[in-house]
Amino acid sequence: DAMVIQNPRYQVTQFGKPVTLSCSQTLNHNVMYWYQQKSSQAPKLLFHYYDKDFNNEADTPDNFQSRRPNTSFCFLDIRSPGLGDAAMYLCATSIIDRTGEREQFFGPGTRLTVL
Amino acid sequence: AQSVTQLDSQVPVFEEAPVELRCNYSSSVSVYLFWYVQYPNQGLQLLLKYLSGSTLVKGINGFEAEFNKSQTSFHLRKPSVHISDTAEYFCAVSDGVGFNKFYFGSGTKLNVKP
């Protein structure tokens, strides 16, 4: 089945130690998104890639970076995680084309714990 | 930018009772509307969507929603809930422009009691 995959599902890191979360998709979608979701809150968009074009949300901290080496994969890098970065990180994809489809497809998320 | 309001942060309901989760959005221009469900420690799963056409949309798990343009609302309903419907529900709106940015409501926790 076509899907969005996130690894690992649970990640523990230490304060200040860089961490990378990964996302892959078999949907061949041209847009990939990274969201941060804290407990009992809505997902908050960090950035997205539209094909190879990277777009930051205005309030995304510089501590968060992303890479998309090809259509299928996208990575979230947190350079120096703080306690406030502990959250669920969700990857999503979407196709922007003439069909007018607008659904975003979400992965299962990675739960990040910062010690 | 859009804003999305889910008026109820928590909705307790007994099993087999009907439920309505409310969602209002800010703009009356053309929008695309979605309801997602999130179970603990999982991602978001699409329940249903409105892109165009009939204003009554049927989704998975017996849920339906009605798009009301004049009231800028997209309320989610189910005539008879099950224990397994206990989850958090998010309403989302996209104006379909550019990269299809979603504007999420703050979520409604549905707690179905036996």
Side-chain angles (χ1 to χ4, degrees), chain B residues 16-65:
Chain B
E16 298 184 5
V19 71
E20 178 180 83
L21 306 184
R22 295 178 291 171
C23 174
N24 289 88
Y25 59 94
S26 60
S27 175
S28 60
V29 298
S30 295
V31 293
Y32 304 94
L33 300 155
F34 306 84
W35 276 99
Y36 283 84
V37 61
Q38 187 177 34
Y39 300 100
N41 285 314
Q42 294 191 25
L44 274 66
Q45 179 185 2
L46 182 72
L47 277 177
L48 47 77
K49 60 187 175 186
Y50 173 80
L51 302 181
S52 65
S54 172
T55 56
L56 182 62
V57 180
K58 294 190 182 297
I60 63 170
N61 300 342
F63 284 94
E64 64 180 32

Side-chain angles (χ1 to χ4, degrees), chain A:
Chain A
D1 288 343
M3 58 176 56
V4 182
I5 303 160
Q6 290 189 245
N7 286 306
R9 293 293 314 280
Y10 299 90
Q11 176 73 58
V12 180
T13 190
Q14 292 181 335
F15 183 94
K17 185 175 181 180
V19 65
T20 294
L21 310 181
S22 74
C23 176
S24 63
Q25 54 132 339
T26 60
L27 298 162
N28 203 32
H29 283 176
N30 50 7
V31 187
M32 294 186 76
Y33 313 79
W34 278 105
Y35 290 88
Q36 179 192 65
Q37 186 182 27
K38 296 191 174 180
S39 183
S40 298
Q41 295 184 22
K44 177 180 181 296
L45 184 65
L46 295 173
F47 25 60
H48 74 277
Y49 272 94
Y50 192 149
D51 293 323
K52 295 182 179 180
D53 293 332
F54 174 74
N55 295 274
N56 231 11
E57 291 297 293
D59 57 353
T60 298
D62 292 340
N63 199 24
F64 292 85
Q65 303 287 322
S66 185
R67 296 170 282 135
R68 188 180 186 186
N70 54 53
T71 300
S72 301
F73 285 86
C74 195
F75 300 98
L76 169 61
D77 300 309
I78 309 177
R79 292 192 294 188
S80 182
L83 298 178
D85 296 328
M88 174 76 91
Y89 289 87
L90 298 168
C91 175
T93 72
S94 186
I95 184 82
I96 307 297
D97 63 11
R98 294 179 181 178
T99 66
E101 182 55 67
R102 289 288 180 264
E103 179 183 346
Q104 286 191 16
F105 293 78
F106 285 81
T110 295
R111 171 74 64 187
L112 178 68
T113 301
V114 181
L115 300 177

Side-chain angles (χ1 to χ4, degrees), chain B residues 62-82:
Chain B
F63 284 94
E64 64 180 32
E66 186 152 19
F67 168 56
N68 188 320
K69 187 175 182 179
S70 62
Q71 296 186 5
T72 59
S73 68
F74 191 55
H75 301 330
L76 181 71
R77 302 185 184 100
K78 186 169 182 177
S80 176
V81 294
H82 300 130

Side-chain angles (χ1 to χ4, degrees), chain B residues 1-4 26-27 95 101 103:
Chain B
Q2 289 276 352
S3 69
V4 182
S26 60
S27 175
D95 57 15
K101 181 172 183 174
Y103 299 86

